Amino acid sequence: MNEHDSKAKARVERAADALLLKVGGTWHLTETLPELDEVLPRVAGRCRVRVVPADLVEWDSSLPLFLLRGRSWCQGQEAPLDIEALPGALQRLFQLISESEASSPAATARR
C-alpha cells in the first residue's frame, strides 16, 4: 500500500435498508480528512446510516470526531446512526468522546 492509499477515506453507498458510510485508510488529526458534507448525500426523510470499515488501517480521535458530525447529520435527518460494524476499540472511543461532549459546559448550557 502506498502513502496515497492509506489516507483517510469516507464514501457512501446505498443499500436496500440503509446508507452505508464506509470509512477506511489512516485517520490522523494532523492529516487532511474527508469533509462530511461532501460524503453524505442530501436526502430527505429517515434513512438508517450504517458505518462500516473498508480497509480501515488505523485511527486516532479524528475518526470518532468525524462520526460525531455524522451523528449530528443523522439527527437532523431523524435517522439512526449504526456503528456496530466498527471495531470494538473504535466504538468505545466514540462512546467516550460522545459522553465527554454531552457533559461539556456548552452541552449543559443548551439543555
Side-chain angles (χ1 to χ4, degrees):
M1 182 180 300
N2 66 38
E3 181 181 321
H4 179 72
D5 291 339
S6 69
K7 290 185 180 182
K9 299 179 194 81
R11 69 180 188 281
V12 169
E13 294 179 9
R14 292 191 184 272
D17 65 338
L19 291 176
L20 299 180
L21 176 55
K22 296 187 174 187
V23 294
T26 301
W27 290 73
H28 290 291
L29 286 170
T30 57
E31 302 294 327
T32 302
L33 301 171
E35 291 291 330
L36 189 67
D37 292 343
E38 295 173 7
V39 175
L40 286 170
R42 286 163 179 67
V43 296
R46 297 176 53 110
C47 185
R48 186 171 133 225
V49 176
R50 189 171 54 212
V51 184
V52 296
D55 299 321
L56 185 58
V57 178
E58 64 181 21
W59 64 89
D60 61 11
S61 59
S62 62
L63 182 49
L65 291 170
F66 176 82
L67 296 175
L68 282 175
R69 290 192 304 275
R71 183 180 66 187
S72 293
W73 181 90
C74 286
Q75 289 169 340
Q77 300 290 318
E78 298 181 3
L81 179 69
D82 175 357
I83 64 166
E84 290 186 17
L86 294 175
L90 181 52
Q91 290 182 42
R92 287 188 295 280
L93 184 55
F94 176 79
Q95 188 63 35
L96 285 170
I97 292 173
S98 295
E99 290 169 2
S100 175
E101 179 190 58
S103 64
S104 73
T108 304
R110 287 191 300 259
R111 293 183 196 154

